[in-house]
Amino acid sequence: MIEARAVSKRYGDKVAVDALTFTVKPGVVTGFLGPNGAGKSTTIRMIMGLDAPTSGSVTVNGKPYRKHPAPLHEVGALLEAKAVHTGRSAYNHLLALALSTGIPRRRVDEVIDLVGLHEVARKRVGGFSLGMGQRLGVAAALLGDPATLVLDEPVNGLDPQGILWIRTLLRGLAAEGRTVFVSSHLMSEMALTAEHLIVIGKGKLIADTSVEEFIRRASSRVVRVRTPEATRLRDLLTGPDVGVTSLAAGLLEVSGLDGAEIGRVACREAIPLEELTPVQASLEEAFMELTDDALEYRVTPAAQERSAS
Ligand SMILES: Nc1ncnc2c1ncn2[C@@H]1O[C@H](COP(=O)(O)OP(=O)(O)OP(=O)(O)O)[C@@H](O)[C@H]1O
Protein backbone atom coordinates (compact mmCIF):
# COMPACT_ATOMS: atom_id res chain seq x y z
CA MET A 1 0.00 0.00 0.00
CA ILE A 2 1.28 3.45 -0.94
CA GLU A 3 -0.23 6.53 0.67
CA ALA A 4 0.52 10.08 -0.44
CA ARG A 5 -0.87 12.80 1.79
CA ALA A 6 -0.78 16.37 0.42
CA VAL A 7 2.70 15.69 -0.89
CA SER A 8 4.42 18.57 -2.72
CA LYS A 9 7.83 19.05 -4.28
CA ARG A 10 9.28 22.37 -5.28
CA TYR A 11 12.50 22.98 -7.20
CA GLY A 12 13.17 26.68 -6.67
CA ASP A 13 10.13 28.45 -8.15
CA LYS A 14 8.98 25.32 -9.98
CA VAL A 15 6.23 23.28 -8.31
CA ALA A 16 6.81 19.79 -9.72
CA VAL A 17 4.26 18.04 -7.45
CA ASP A 18 1.39 20.01 -5.96
CA ALA A 19 -0.41 18.68 -2.85
CA LEU A 20 -1.05 15.17 -4.21
CA THR A 21 -3.19 12.87 -2.10
CA PHE A 22 -3.87 9.31 -3.23
CA THR A 23 -3.75 5.70 -2.06
CA VAL A 24 -2.45 2.78 -4.12
CA LYS A 25 -4.13 -0.41 -2.92
CA PRO A 26 -2.93 -4.00 -3.13
CA GLY A 27 -4.44 -6.60 -5.46
CA VAL A 28 -4.79 -4.50 -8.62
CA VAL A 29 -2.42 -2.83 -11.06
CA THR A 30 -2.68 0.93 -10.61
CA GLY A 31 -1.57 3.06 -13.56
CA PHE A 32 0.10 6.40 -12.87
CA LEU A 33 -0.54 8.64 -15.85
CA GLY A 34 0.21 12.12 -16.94
CA PRO A 35 1.70 14.03 -19.85
CA ASN A 36 5.43 14.69 -19.96
CA GLY A 37 6.56 16.90 -17.11
CA ALA A 38 3.41 16.14 -15.06
CA GLY A 39 5.44 15.11 -12.02
CA LYS A 40 5.30 11.30 -12.22
CA SER A 41 9.02 10.64 -11.83
CA THR A 42 9.30 13.19 -9.02
CA THR A 43 6.42 11.49 -7.16
CA ILE A 44 8.03 8.08 -7.66
CA ARG A 45 11.36 9.39 -6.39
CA MET A 46 9.60 10.63 -3.24
CA ILE A 47 7.90 7.24 -2.77
CA MET A 48 11.33 5.61 -3.01
CA GLY A 49 12.97 8.04 -0.57
CA LEU A 50 15.28 9.42 -3.29
CA ASP A 51 13.83 12.92 -2.96
CA ALA A 52 12.37 14.50 0.17
CA PRO A 53 8.93 16.15 -0.12
CA THR A 54 8.88 19.92 0.39
CA SER A 55 5.68 19.34 2.37
CA GLY A 56 3.25 16.50 3.02
CA SER A 57 4.18 12.84 3.31
CA VAL A 58 4.32 9.62 1.39
CA THR A 59 4.48 6.19 2.97
CA VAL A 60 4.92 2.63 1.75
CA ASN A 61 3.24 -0.04 3.85
CA GLY A 62 2.67 2.50 6.61
CA LYS A 63 6.14 4.10 6.85
CA PRO A 64 8.30 6.44 4.81
CA TYR A 65 10.63 4.32 2.62
CA ARG A 66 13.74 5.30 4.59
CA LYS A 67 12.21 4.22 7.91
CA HIS A 68 11.94 0.57 6.80
CA PRO A 69 14.79 -1.52 8.24
CA ALA A 70 14.82 -3.79 5.15
CA PRO A 71 13.28 -1.65 2.38
CA LEU A 72 14.01 -4.14 -0.46
CA HIS A 73 11.57 -6.55 1.21
CA GLU A 74 8.90 -3.86 1.34
CA VAL A 75 9.14 -2.23 -2.07
CA GLY A 76 10.92 -3.08 -5.30
CA ALA A 77 11.41 -0.41 -7.94
CA LEU A 78 12.25 -0.14 -11.60
CA LEU A 79 13.33 3.43 -12.17
CA GLU A 80 14.16 5.04 -15.47
CA ALA A 81 17.82 5.68 -14.78
CA LYS A 82 19.58 2.34 -14.67
CA ALA A 83 22.65 1.92 -12.51
CA VAL A 84 24.07 -1.32 -13.81
CA HIS A 85 27.73 -2.28 -13.89
CA THR A 86 27.91 -3.12 -17.62
CA GLY A 87 30.97 -5.36 -17.28
CA ARG A 88 29.19 -7.73 -14.91
CA SER A 89 26.98 -10.63 -15.87
CA ALA A 90 23.28 -10.42 -15.06
CA TYR A 91 23.76 -13.14 -12.47
CA ASN A 92 26.63 -11.31 -10.75
CA HIS A 93 24.78 -8.02 -10.82
CA LEU A 94 21.82 -9.60 -9.02
CA LEU A 95 24.08 -11.58 -6.69
CA ALA A 96 25.92 -8.41 -5.62
CA LEU A 97 22.60 -6.72 -4.90
CA ALA A 98 21.33 -9.76 -3.00
CA LEU A 99 24.45 -10.26 -0.88
CA SER A 100 24.64 -6.58 0.07
CA THR A 101 21.09 -6.73 1.42
CA GLY A 102 21.09 -10.15 3.11
CA ILE A 103 19.03 -11.90 0.43
CA PRO A 104 19.98 -15.59 -0.08
CA ARG A 105 21.76 -16.71 -3.29
CA ARG A 106 18.91 -19.06 -4.29
CA ARG A 107 16.58 -16.07 -4.65
CA VAL A 108 18.85 -14.83 -7.47
CA ASP A 109 18.16 -18.03 -9.43
CA GLU A 110 14.47 -17.72 -8.69
CA VAL A 111 14.14 -14.17 -10.05
CA ILE A 112 16.28 -14.99 -13.11
CA ASP A 113 13.82 -17.75 -13.96
CA LEU A 114 10.85 -15.54 -13.16
CA VAL A 115 11.89 -12.90 -15.72
CA GLY A 116 13.08 -15.41 -18.33
CA LEU A 117 16.78 -14.44 -18.35
CA HIS A 118 18.07 -17.94 -17.64
CA GLU A 119 19.88 -18.40 -20.95
CA VAL A 120 21.75 -15.10 -20.80
CA ALA A 121 22.31 -14.87 -17.06
CA ARG A 122 26.08 -15.37 -17.42
CA LYS A 123 26.46 -12.86 -20.26
CA ARG A 124 27.76 -9.33 -19.73
CA VAL A 125 24.98 -6.82 -19.10
CA GLY A 126 26.73 -4.35 -21.43
CA GLY A 127 25.62 -6.45 -24.42
CA PHE A 128 21.97 -6.64 -23.36
CA SER A 129 19.15 -5.32 -25.54
CA LEU A 130 16.76 -2.79 -24.03
CA GLY A 131 14.21 -5.53 -23.42
CA MET A 132 16.74 -7.74 -21.62
CA GLY A 133 17.83 -4.72 -19.57
CA GLN A 134 14.21 -4.13 -18.53
CA ARG A 135 13.87 -7.78 -17.54
CA LEU A 136 17.01 -7.47 -15.44
CA GLY A 137 15.59 -4.32 -13.81
CA VAL A 138 12.39 -6.18 -12.97
CA ALA A 139 14.43 -9.09 -11.57
CA ALA A 140 16.26 -6.65 -9.28
CA ALA A 141 12.94 -5.13 -8.17
CA LEU A 142 11.62 -8.60 -7.30
CA LEU A 143 14.74 -9.78 -5.41
CA GLY A 144 13.42 -8.96 -1.94
CA ASP A 145 10.00 -10.52 -2.73
CA PRO A 146 8.40 -7.15 -1.91
CA ALA A 147 4.71 -6.59 -1.23
CA THR A 148 4.84 -3.35 -3.23
CA LEU A 149 6.28 -2.70 -6.69
CA VAL A 150 6.85 0.67 -8.30
CA LEU A 151 7.79 0.82 -11.98
CA ASP A 152 8.56 4.03 -13.88
CA GLU A 153 7.70 3.68 -17.59
CA PRO A 154 8.53 -0.06 -17.76
CA VAL A 155 7.35 -0.51 -21.36
CA ASN A 156 9.41 2.37 -22.79
CA GLY A 157 11.26 1.10 -25.84
CA LEU A 158 10.04 -2.50 -25.55
CA ASP A 159 8.88 -4.52 -28.54
CA PRO A 160 5.31 -5.94 -28.57
CA GLN A 161 6.49 -9.24 -27.09
CA GLY A 162 8.26 -7.41 -24.24
CA ILE A 163 5.18 -5.26 -23.60
CA LEU A 164 2.97 -8.34 -23.41
CA TRP A 165 5.44 -9.94 -21.02
CA ILE A 166 5.48 -6.92 -18.65
CA ARG A 167 1.68 -6.68 -18.79
CA THR A 168 1.19 -10.35 -17.91
CA LEU A 169 3.81 -10.20 -15.17
CA LEU A 170 2.32 -7.10 -13.52
CA ARG A 171 -1.18 -8.51 -13.55
CA GLY A 172 0.12 -11.77 -12.08
CA LEU A 173 1.97 -9.93 -9.29
CA ALA A 174 -1.16 -7.92 -8.45
CA ALA A 175 -3.24 -11.11 -8.45
CA GLU A 176 -0.87 -12.46 -5.76
CA GLY A 177 -2.06 -9.56 -3.59
CA ARG A 178 0.83 -7.16 -4.18
CA THR A 179 0.55 -3.42 -4.67
CA VAL A 180 1.65 -2.62 -8.22
CA PHE A 181 2.10 1.02 -9.21
CA VAL A 182 3.22 1.64 -12.78
CA SER A 183 3.77 4.95 -14.52
CA SER A 184 3.24 5.56 -18.21
CA HIS A 185 2.23 8.26 -20.62
CA LEU A 186 0.65 5.62 -22.89
CA MET A 187 -3.07 5.44 -22.21
CA SER A 188 -3.67 2.56 -24.59
CA GLU A 189 -1.11 0.46 -22.74
CA MET A 190 -2.63 1.29 -19.36
CA ALA A 191 -6.09 0.37 -20.62
CA LEU A 192 -4.83 -3.18 -21.09
CA THR A 193 -2.69 -3.42 -17.97
CA ALA A 194 -4.25 -1.37 -15.18
CA GLU A 195 -7.59 -1.60 -13.43
CA HIS A 196 -7.23 1.62 -11.52
CA LEU A 197 -5.76 4.95 -12.60
CA ILE A 198 -4.21 7.92 -10.91
CA VAL A 199 -3.91 10.74 -13.43
CA ILE A 200 -1.91 13.89 -12.79
CA GLY A 201 -1.21 17.03 -14.77
CA LYS A 202 1.12 19.89 -13.81
CA GLY A 203 1.72 18.14 -10.49
CA LYS A 204 -1.97 18.08 -9.53
CA LEU A 205 -4.40 15.20 -9.23
CA ILE A 206 -6.79 15.05 -12.19
CA ALA A 207 -8.42 11.66 -11.61
CA ASP A 208 -8.28 8.76 -9.13
CA THR A 209 -10.65 6.23 -10.58
CA SER A 210 -11.16 2.87 -12.28
CA VAL A 211 -10.18 2.65 -15.96
CA GLU A 212 -13.84 2.02 -16.80
CA GLU A 213 -15.08 5.08 -14.91
CA PHE A 214 -12.30 7.21 -16.40
CA ILE A 215 -13.52 6.54 -19.93
CA ARG A 216 -17.13 7.03 -18.93
CA ARG A 217 -16.44 10.40 -17.30
CA ALA A 218 -14.48 11.71 -20.22
CA SER A 219 -16.72 10.39 -23.01
CA SER A 220 -19.20 12.87 -24.26
CA ARG A 221 -22.53 11.13 -24.77
CA VAL A 222 -22.60 10.55 -28.49
CA VAL A 223 -24.86 8.00 -30.20
CA ARG A 224 -24.75 6.99 -33.86
CA VAL A 225 -28.20 6.44 -35.38
CA ARG A 226 -28.95 4.88 -38.76
CA THR A 227 -32.48 5.29 -40.07
CA PRO A 228 -34.15 5.72 -43.47
CA GLU A 229 -36.13 8.61 -41.92
CA ALA A 230 -33.15 10.65 -40.73
CA THR A 231 -34.62 14.05 -41.55
CA ARG A 232 -37.83 13.36 -39.61
CA LEU A 233 -35.93 11.93 -36.61
CA ARG A 234 -33.52 14.85 -36.65
CA ASP A 235 -36.41 17.31 -36.29
CA LEU A 236 -37.84 15.34 -33.37
CA LEU A 237 -34.61 15.18 -31.36
CA THR A 238 -34.66 18.49 -29.57
CA GLY A 239 -33.61 19.74 -26.16
CA PRO A 240 -31.36 22.34 -24.56
CA ASP A 241 -28.14 20.27 -24.84
CA VAL A 242 -29.06 18.10 -27.81
CA GLY A 243 -26.92 18.29 -30.94
CA VAL A 244 -27.57 16.33 -34.14
CA THR A 245 -25.10 16.05 -37.02
CA SER A 246 -25.74 14.31 -40.33
CA LEU A 247 -22.74 12.10 -41.12
CA ALA A 248 -24.11 10.67 -44.36
CA ALA A 249 -27.48 9.94 -45.92
CA GLY A 250 -29.51 8.13 -43.26
CA LEU A 251 -26.76 8.42 -40.60
CA LEU A 252 -26.92 10.81 -37.64
CA GLU A 253 -24.62 11.47 -34.71
CA VAL A 254 -26.55 12.65 -31.67
CA SER A 255 -25.11 14.24 -28.54
CA GLY A 256 -26.94 15.08 -25.34
CA LEU A 257 -29.31 12.07 -25.42
CA ASP A 258 -28.60 8.42 -24.73
CA GLY A 259 -29.62 5.46 -26.88
CA ALA A 260 -32.70 4.67 -24.76
CA GLU A 261 -34.04 8.22 -25.07
CA ILE A 262 -33.51 8.25 -28.85
CA GLY A 263 -35.08 4.79 -29.13
CA ARG A 264 -38.20 5.96 -27.25
CA VAL A 265 -38.68 8.93 -29.57
CA ALA A 266 -38.25 6.72 -32.65
CA CYS A 267 -40.68 4.10 -31.29
CA ARG A 268 -43.33 6.71 -30.41
CA GLU A 269 -43.15 8.13 -33.93
CA ALA A 270 -42.86 4.69 -35.61
CA ILE A 271 -39.49 5.57 -37.16
CA PRO A 272 -37.54 2.41 -38.02
CA LEU A 273 -34.00 2.30 -36.60
CA GLU A 274 -31.29 0.27 -38.32
CA GLU A 275 -28.51 1.14 -35.90
CA LEU A 276 -28.26 2.76 -32.46
CA THR A 277 -24.65 2.71 -31.23
CA PRO A 278 -23.14 4.61 -28.31
CA VAL A 279 -19.80 6.00 -29.51
CA GLN A 280 -17.28 5.59 -26.72
CA ALA A 281 -14.22 7.77 -26.52
CA SER A 282 -11.04 5.74 -26.64
CA LEU A 283 -8.91 5.88 -23.53
CA GLU A 284 -6.42 8.00 -25.50
CA GLU A 285 -9.14 10.55 -26.29
CA ALA A 286 -10.37 10.53 -22.71
CA PHE A 287 -6.83 11.16 -21.52
CA MET A 288 -6.25 14.02 -23.93
CA GLU A 289 -9.53 15.62 -22.94
CA LEU A 290 -8.82 15.43 -19.22
CA THR A 291 -5.19 16.47 -19.37
CA ASP A 292 -5.51 19.08 -22.11
CA ASP A 293 -5.25 22.02 -19.70
CA ALA A 294 -2.44 20.28 -17.89
CA LEU A 295 0.03 19.92 -20.76
CA GLU A 296 3.22 21.68 -19.81
CA TYR A 297 4.36 22.35 -23.34
CA ARG A 298 1.41 22.68 -25.64
CA VAL A 299 2.04 22.15 -29.35
CA THR A 300 0.56 25.12 -31.18
CA PRO A 301 -1.05 24.49 -34.59
CA ALA A 302 1.70 26.66 -36.17
CA ALA A 303 4.45 24.54 -34.59
CA GLN A 304 2.65 21.38 -35.72
CA GLU A 305 2.58 22.68 -39.31
CA ARG A 306 6.27 23.59 -39.14
CA SER A 307 7.24 20.12 -37.93
CA ALA A 308 5.05 18.47 -40.61
CA SER A 309 6.61 20.46 -43.47
N1 LIG B 1 15.81 18.24 -10.25
C1 LIG B 1 14.95 19.09 -10.81
N2 LIG B 1 15.18 20.42 -10.83
C2 LIG B 1 14.33 21.29 -11.39
N3 LIG B 1 13.15 20.92 -11.97
C3 LIG B 1 12.86 19.62 -11.99
C4 LIG B 1 13.73 18.64 -11.42
N4 LIG B 1 13.15 17.42 -11.58
C5 LIG B 1 11.99 17.63 -12.24
N5 LIG B 1 11.81 18.95 -12.48
C6 LIG B 1 10.66 19.57 -13.15
O1 LIG B 1 9.49 19.14 -12.49
C7 LIG B 1 8.45 18.83 -13.42
C8 LIG B 1 8.00 17.40 -13.25
O2 LIG B 1 9.02 16.52 -13.74
P1 LIG B 1 8.91 14.94 -13.72
O3 LIG B 1 10.17 14.40 -14.32
O4 LIG B 1 8.54 14.48 -12.37
O5 LIG B 1 7.68 14.69 -14.70
P2 LIG B 1 7.22 13.33 -15.40
O6 LIG B 1 5.74 13.32 -15.28
O7 LIG B 1 7.95 12.18 -14.86
O8 LIG B 1 7.60 13.60 -16.88
P3 LIG B 1 8.27 12.62 -17.97
O9 LIG B 1 7.16 11.76 -18.48
O10 LIG B 1 8.75 13.62 -19.00
O11 LIG B 1 9.38 11.88 -17.29
C9 LIG B 1 9.01 19.16 -14.79
O12 LIG B 1 8.62 20.45 -15.14
C10 LIG B 1 10.51 19.09 -14.60
O13 LIG B 1 11.16 19.95 -15.49
Side-chain angles (χ1 to χ4, degrees):
M1 176 107 97
I2 299 168
E3 289 175 290
R5 294 287 164 263
V7 71
S8 295
K9 181 70 189 179
R10 227 173 234 286
Y11 295 106
D13 284 348
K14 171 95 207 165
V15 182
V17 173
D18 195 356
L20 275 188
T21 295
F22 61 82
T23 301
V24 187
K25 299 195 182 98
V28 291
V29 176
T30 300
F32 189 32
L33 281 160
N36 284 341
K40 303 180 298 291
S41 299
T42 305
T43 306
I44 286 179
R45 282 202 304 275
M46 290 193 286
I47 295 172
M48 299 307 298
L50 297 169
D51 248 342
T54 309
S55 59
S57 68
V58 53
T59 59
V60 181
N61 307 335
K63 282 185 195 169
Y65 181 89
R66 284 162 181 268
K67 294 263 166 75
H68 284 290
L72 277 195
H73 294 291
E74 298 291 336
V75 50
L78 176 72
L79 302 180
E80 267 191 301
K82 281 185 222 84
V84 174
H85 201 300
T86 50
R88 267 189 192 150
S89 70
Y91 181 86
N92 283 337
H93 167 68
L94 292 170
L95 186 64
L97 263 179
L99 295 182
S100 66
T101 46
I103 291 166
R105 187 180 282 263
R106 69 180 145 71
R107 180 66 186 158
V108 173
D109 293 305
E110 275 172 26
V111 292
I112 283 175
D113 282 344
L114 205 62
V115 302
L117 279 181
H118 194 71
E119 291 190 358
V120 294
R122 303 282 170 180
K123 294 218 163 89
R124 281 179 52 244
V125 173
F128 272 20
S129 67
L130 190 63
M132 282 151 69
Q134 289 293 70
R135 282 175 195 250
L136 181 60
V138 172
L142 292 172
L143 256 187
D145 197 13
T148 299
L149 280 146
V150 176
L151 301 99
D152 200 1
E153 301 273 0
V155 304
N156 252 7
L158 291 188
D159 58 15
Q161 200 192 356
I163 293 175
L164 182 64
W165 171 73
I166 287 260
R167 189 186 296 156
T168 313
L169 180 80
L170 296 184
R171 295 186 79 117
L173 291 166
E176 288 169 12
R178 295 177 213 257
T179 301
V180 180
F181 192 44
V182 49
S183 85
S184 177
H185 58 275
L186 299 173
M187 277 313 285
S188 42
E189 173 51 32
M190 280 297 102
L192 297 169
T193 310
E195 257 178 71
H196 197 85
L197 292 178
I198 288 166
V199 185
I200 63 169
K202 286 190 185 160
K204 290 195 169 75
L205 191 70
I206 293 180
D208 179 350
T209 175
S210 67
V211 171
E212 210 182 315
E213 180 59 28
F214 180 73
I215 301 178
R216 204 169 32 232
R217 243 176 65 183
S219 313
S220 49
R221 283 201 302 169
V222 173
V223 181
R224 205 167 47 218
V225 188
R226 198 181 294 276
T227 168
E229 294 189 38
T231 314
R232 195 151 78 85
L233 183 63
R234 184 185 183 133
D235 293 341
L236 290 164
L237 298 175
T238 51
D241 297 318
V242 178
V244 186
T245 317
S246 286
L247 295 182
L251 187 63
L252 302 174
E253 205 166 72
V254 182
S255 60
L257 290 172
D258 65 19
E261 289 163 326
I262 299 166
R264 270 197 294 276
V265 172
C267 179
R268 196 179 65 220
E269 301 295 326
I271 294 176
L273 294 182
E274 291 164 353
E275 183 187 339
L276 192 61
T277 316
V279 182
Q280 200 176 48
S282 73
L283 203 51
E284 216 76 54
E285 286 162 344
F287 179 57
M288 290 314 287
E289 196 165 306
L290 278 180
T291 59
D292 199 33
D293 294 337
L295 293 180
E296 187 166 43
Y297 303 104
R298 193 180 296 278
V299 180
T300 61
Q304 238 162 359
E305 266 167 40
R306 272 200 305 279
S307 68
S309 59

